[in-house]
């Protein structure tokens, strides 16, 4: 049996609606087909119009181009305007924050991320099972790849 993850006893997190995860810092919000479909409905726009207006193709760690939301020149998410314009249809990556593989990979990574998020280490306790379900969700909804395949 493998070593238990550092979050075996769960992690505390409650969103403080500070928008720090949506603003001030460069980053990527990768989109799946489900995310893109939700955006088209929420924005009442066609698929290609949403991609042209709100998205960009970026290189991933494998050298492929994948679909991500754009950022404003000040590094805010393109969909942030005194709050998320599409909160109820926000991408899975946003829904599952901070339970991302890169953040829960180690106690150190979690603590580094927590320096920029007042909701981490505070509030509701999320069980190991719940955290791992969020991790599974990300892999169950592959990111759109320009080549037409999914990651």
């Amino acid at each position: 049996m493998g070593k238990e993850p550092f979050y075996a006893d769960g992690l505390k997190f409650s969103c403080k609606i500070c928008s720090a995860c949506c603003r001030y810092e460069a980053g990527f919000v990768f989109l799946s087909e489900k995310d893109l479909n939700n955006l088209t409905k929420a924005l009442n726009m066609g698929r290609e119009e949403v991609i042209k207006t709100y998205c960009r193709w970026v290189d991933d760690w494998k050298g492929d181009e994948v679909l991500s939301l754009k950022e404003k020149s000040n590094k805010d998410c393109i969909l942030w305007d005194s709050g998320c314009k599409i909160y109820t249809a926000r991408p899975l990556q946003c829904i599952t924050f901070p339970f991302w593989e890169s953040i829960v990979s180690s106690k150190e990574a979690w603590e580094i991320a927590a320096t920029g998020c007042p909701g981490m280490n505070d509030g509701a306790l999320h069980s190991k099972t719940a955290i791992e379900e969020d991790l599974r969700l990300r892999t169950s909804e592959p990111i759109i790849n320009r080549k037409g395949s999914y990651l």
Side-chain angles (χ1 to χ4, degrees):
M1 185 132 186
K3 181 182 170 191
E4 283 288 313
F6 85 94
Y7 57 84
D9 294 327
L11 293 169
K12 287 186 175 187
F13 172 72
S14 289
C15 182
K16 305 296 184 194
I17 312 173
C18 70
S19 300
C21 56
C22 310
R23 306 184 65 206
Y24 312 121
E25 197 172 313
F28 302 106
V29 177
F30 299 115
L31 302 174
S32 69
E33 280 294 335
K34 185 175 179 180
D35 293 331
L36 186 56
N37 289 336
N38 289 342
L39 287 173
T40 61
K41 290 174 191 165
L43 296 166
N44 197 29
M45 297 169 72
R47 176 187 172 92
E48 293 307 316
E49 187 179 7
V50 168
I51 291 172
K52 183 179 179 183
T53 306
Y54 293 100
C55 302
R56 61 187 168 150
W57 293 98
V58 298
D59 292 334
D60 73 355
W61 58 98
K62 296 178 184 176
D64 294 322
E65 288 187 305
V66 294
L67 197 62
S68 176
L69 289 176
K70 289 180 182 176
E71 297 170 341
K72 297 177 184 177
S73 60
N74 66 356
K75 306 297 183 203
D76 290 358
C77 174
I78 188 85
L79 295 168
W80 195 92
D81 185 19
S82 299
C84 181
K85 290 176 15 178
I86 49 93
Y87 186 81
T88 59
R90 69 196 186 281
L92 181 61
Q93 183 175 330
C94 303
I95 292 169
T96 59
F97 180 84
F99 304 113
W100 299 347
E101 189 175 329
S102 61
I103 296 175
V104 299
S105 63
S106 69
K107 176 77 171 154
E108 295 78 17
W110 176 265
E111 293 303 333
I112 289 168
T115 63
C117 176
M120 293 172 69
N121 295 322
D122 189 47
L125 181 66
H126 296 257
S127 69
K128 174 186 172 198
T129 301
I131 293 165
E132 290 178 347
E133 176 60 15
D134 278 354
L135 293 168
R136 187 199 65 74
L137 282 172
R138 176 69 267 174
T139 58
S140 73
E141 295 288 335
I143 298 165
I144 298 171
N145 181 309
R146 191 188 281 271
K147 294 177 186 172
S149 60
Y150 300 91
L151 301 174

